[in-house]
Every structure is written in C-alpha cells, then in structure tokens.
C-alpha cells in the first residue's frame, strides 16, 4: 500500500484565474502582507482586513477548479475504488475552495478557508459566503467578534499533527505550485526526504528545488494530470 502526500500552493489555482502571492502581479505586489495577513494588522485596522477577504470571497464563485484540481480528486477516488493500491492525503496552503469543488475529500486546509468565519467570542467556526464587517453579528452568539478563519503569519497552521504523521509515513511526496518560502509547508519535503520519493511540479524552480529527488517545470494543468496518469498506469 503506497502512502502518498500531496502539498499544493497558489500555483495550482493560477490557471483557474486566481492570483498567486509572489509572482510579478501577485497579491503581495498589491497588498501589504502585514496589513491583511497578520493578527497585528487585524487589530490595527480590522475593516481593511475584512474588505481584503471580502473581495477574495466575492471572486470565488467566478472561478472554477482546473484540470490539476480534478486530477488530484481523481487520484484520491482511484485510491478508494481500487484503481491504485494507495492511500492519499492532500494538504493545501490555499484558502480557496477549488480542491473541495473538484471533489477532494481527504483534504487538510492548513491555512484555513476563505468560506469559513471564526467567532473569537464563542469560538464557533461557521461556513460563510457573504461579506463580513466589524459590525457583523455572530450567528451563534450575536457578538460582533468575527474574523476570517484564515491562518495569518505568526499563527499556527491547522492539522499539523496529522500532516506531520502523514509525511513521516509516506512513500511519495509531491509538491505542486508553491514557492517553498513559507514555513512550515516549505519544510515538509525535509520531513519526507529520507524515506520517500519527493517530486516537485512547478512553473519554475522553487526555493526548495534542490531538496527534491525530481523537479518537473511547467503549468500545473499539464504536469499534474500527466503525473496522476503515470501513477495510475504503474499501479
Ligand atoms: N502551474 C504551476 N505552478 C505555478 C503556476 C502554474 N500555472 N503559476 C505559478 N506557479 C508557481 C510559481 O512559480 C510559484 O513557485 O506557484 C508558486 C506560487 O508561489 P506563491 O505565490 O509564493 O504561493 P504559495 O507558495 O502558495 O505561498 C505560500 O504564503 O502568503 C502566504 O499564506 C500564503 O499560502 C500562502 C503561502
């Protein structure tokens, strides 16, 4: 039984029309990371941060999963219907819902989800598709203490125990569409390297390219379906 761990970053959603963070016209070229992706930024100007995520949330229904998202969902389905003798865990740094909409289920959204809101008064985490402001009351407790359920810089990503366990047990680690500069995700290849085959599928070399057994360069919508097909053919 092969154990596969896949890590994705913003690059897998780029061909769906969502900006990445660090490419030339990326999100961090337009917004200040400190203002919209840190607890301090939220404390200083919560409404500015809410507007940033409201804009991203409004865009989401206008974009669709692409062939790379669907290929990963098909690989997971293949582990369920016996087309491949393997288990698969998908870890994404992305906050969009494209993996979910493509059909991936065994999914860890380690940086949270754009379509969830977190009440810091009653700790409720609620599916959320609308705008949110500093005046929006929590549907559970009524208090105006809502924040995006997104992991900001300096906060602990979600599901880390399960992710680390999967990395320590895997035979194959595939990293897709990530620049490899943000930890802990950038360190995942090191957790897998001494016992697993490690492959990077990326438009250009990432910061961690030299740590991988193999690095294939190109668009995710070409590389990921090809790679999944090669796994299914070699089952
Ligand atoms: N196909 C494959 N890879 C692509 C494509 C594509 N079509 N387009 C871009 N890429 C690659 C880029 O070459 C780059 O290496 O995707 C990577 C995107 O890197 P980043 O923009 O840094 O995004 P990511 O690695 O996901 O950022 C990690 O940083 O800002 C935080 O929390 C945020 O989750 C994010 C984290």
């Amino acid at each position: 039984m092969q154990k596969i761990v896949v890590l994705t970053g913003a690059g897998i959603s780029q061909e769906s029309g969502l900006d990445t963070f660090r490419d030339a016209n990326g999100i961090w070229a337009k917004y200040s990371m400190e203002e919209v992706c840190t607890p301090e930024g939220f404390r200083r100007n919560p409404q500015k941060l809410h507007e940033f995520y409201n804009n991203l949330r409004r865009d989401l229904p206008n974009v669709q999963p692409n062939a790379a998202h669907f290929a990963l969902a098909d690989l997971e389905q293949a582990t369920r219907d016996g087309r491949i003798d393997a288990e698969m865990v998908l870890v994404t740094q992305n906050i969009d819902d494209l993996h979910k909409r493509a059909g991936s289920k065994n999914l860890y959204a380690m940086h949270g989800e754009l379509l969830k809101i977190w009440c810091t008064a009653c700790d409720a985490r609620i599916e959320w598709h609308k705008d949110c402001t500093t005046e929006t009351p929590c549907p559970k407790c009524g208090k105006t203490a809502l924040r995006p359920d997104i992991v900001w810089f300096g906060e602990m990503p979600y599901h880390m125990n399960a992710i680390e366990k999967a990395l320590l047990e895997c035979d194959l680690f595939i990293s897709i569409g990530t620049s490899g500069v943000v930890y802990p995700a950038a360190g995942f290849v090191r957790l897998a390297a001494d016992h697993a085959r490690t492959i990077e599928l990326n438009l250009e070399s990432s910061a961690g390219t030299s740590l991988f057994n193999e690095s294939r360069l190109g668009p995710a919508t070409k590389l990921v379906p090809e790679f999944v097909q090669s796994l299914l053919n070699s089952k």
Side-chain angles (χ1 to χ4, degrees):
M1 165 82 75
Q2 215 183 8
K3 294 190 173 184
I4 304 170
V5 176
V6 181
L7 170 70
T8 63
I12 200 170
S13 297
Q14 186 270 332
E15 291 164 272
S16 293
L18 290 179
D19 286 343
T20 62
F21 291 95
R22 293 172 185 80
D23 286 334
N25 59 351
I27 290 173
W28 298 142
K30 299 170 194 160
Y31 294 90
S32 151
M33 200 190 286
E34 289 69 25
E35 285 180 353
V36 298
C37 206
T38 63
E40 297 75 19
F42 187 59
R43 268 194 292 280
R44 260 197 312 275
N45 188 341
Q47 192 44 41
K48 182 177 186 113
L49 184 139
H50 273 306
E51 249 329 286
F52 171 72
Y53 288 101
N54 289 342
N55 287 330
L56 293 180
R57 202 177 292 113
R58 278 184 222 127
D59 284 350
L60 222 36
N62 308 324
V63 297
Q64 302 305 323
N66 63 50
H69 298 103
F70 285 117
L72 293 179
D74 185 48
L75 177 58
E76 179 183 323
Q77 185 50 46
T79 67
R80 296 180 197 284
D81 63 24
R83 281 179 287 150
I84 184 172
D85 181 22
E87 290 170 359
M88 176 188 168
V89 167
L90 174 55
V91 182
T92 189
Q93 301 172 87
N94 300 340
I95 58 175
D96 64 53
D97 65 337
L98 297 181
H99 282 305
K100 260 189 188 170
R101 277 198 268 154
S104 290
K105 293 175 175 50
N106 205 4
L107 172 63
Y108 291 117
M110 64 182 286
H111 288 168
E113 298 176 64
L114 196 49
L115 297 182
K116 277 207 180 133
I117 214 85
W118 174 15
C119 177
T120 57
C122 71
D123 206 30
R125 292 168 201 264
I126 303 152
E127 177 128 3
W128 195 269
H129 292 252
K130 307 171 289 195
D131 284 3
C132 184
T133 74
T134 50
E135 303 309 310
T136 308
C138 168
K140 296 264 195 260
C141 74
K143 293 218 175 42
T144 54
L146 296 175
R147 62 164 271 185
D149 191 11
I150 305 277
V151 178
W152 292 327
F153 286 102
E155 297 182 326
M156 177 55 77
Y158 294 146
H159 313 296
M160 284 307 296
N161 291 339
I163 292 169
E164 280 165 5
K165 181 173 183 297
L167 287 164
L168 292 173
E169 293 173 355
C170 74
D171 315 287
L172 176 58
F173 174 65
I174 311 151
S175 176
I176 303 169
T178 181
S179 57
V181 298
V182 175
Y183 286 79
F188 287 174
V189 59
R190 292 178 196 277
L191 286 181
D194 63 357
H195 55 272
R197 183 178 163 218
T198 57
I199 297 184
E200 177 181 64
L201 308 179
N202 219 55
L203 195 61
E204 51 203 28
S205 294
S206 75
T209 289
S210 61
L211 300 169
F212 288 85
N213 298 130
E214 186 184 351
S215 175
R216 298 182 189 177
L217 300 185
T221 55
K222 178 177 180 302
L223 294 185
V224 179
E226 283 173 356
F227 184 75
V228 167
Q229 201 47 57
S230 70
L231 280 182
L232 297 180
N233 293 342
S234 65
K235 61 172 183 181

